[in-house]
Amino acid sequence: EVQLQASGGGLVQTGGSLRLSCAYSGFGFDDYVIGWFRQTPGKQREAVSLISSSDGNTYYADSVKGRFSITDDDAKSTAYLQMNNLTSEDTALYFCAAGTALARLGVKVGAPNRFEYPNWGQGTQVTVSS
């Protein structure tokens, strides 16, 4: 059974930084995609940043390019999302998610879809205050 445990959210001022962690276990395969989606009330869950283990491809939403960086330490079974220069627009509930072949294709073509991810962790709240 795949399990994802997200942590690292919190309250930070505009311009500040946070690092989210996603500890994963139960992967019965070496080829996976892992990363984060976020959601605010009344809006659909959107992809923020994802990384593919097999080819190293990454995805970043346009709104976070140049500010966020995703890494995957497979030795520790933990993925990280370093978030810098945070703004109020980044305030959301962040979810860690994992997928396989279909997700890998979505990352490759730059169009990930939440329906490609069957595995989800609990959300971690990120709040950016002005």
Side-chain angles (χ1 to χ4, degrees):
E1 179 187 3
V2 174
Q3 293 189 338
L4 305 173
Q5 181 70 40
S7 61
L11 174 64
V12 64
Q13 290 187 331
T14 297
S17 299
L18 284 173
R19 188 177 77 160
L20 303 184
S21 299
C22 178
Y24 52 87
S25 63
F27 284 10
F29 39 82
D30 294 328
D31 182 8
Y32 58 88
V33 175
I34 194 160
W36 277 266
F37 288 71
R38 67 186 180 188
Q39 190 169 21
T40 54
K43 293 188 177 181
Q44 288 190 350
R45 195 169 296 187
E46 64 172 357
V48 177
S49 184
L50 301 151
I51 186 167
S52 175
S53 68
S54 62
D55 52 25
N57 283 338
T58 56
Y59 168 84
Y60 293 97
D62 287 344
S63 60
V64 307
K65 284 180 180 177
R67 301 187 297 121
F68 290 14
S69 178
I70 190 168
T71 56
D72 178 27
D73 186 340
D74 56 1
K76 294 183 177 180
S77 297
T78 303
Y80 302 97
L81 182 67
Q82 179 66 43
M83 307 186 295
N84 298 327
N85 196 20
L86 287 161
T87 75
S88 59
E89 296 296 311
D90 298 313
T91 294
L93 190 60
Y94 285 69
F95 295 89
C96 179
T100 54
L102 196 58
R104 175 161 42 86
L105 179 60
V107 170
K108 184 176 182 179
V109 300
N113 186 299
R114 66 188 187 276
F115 298 110
E116 298 163 349
Y117 294 79
N119 305 294
W120 293 86
Q122 88 290 0
T124 185
Q125 180 68 37
V126 172
T127 303
V128 184
S129 65
S130 57

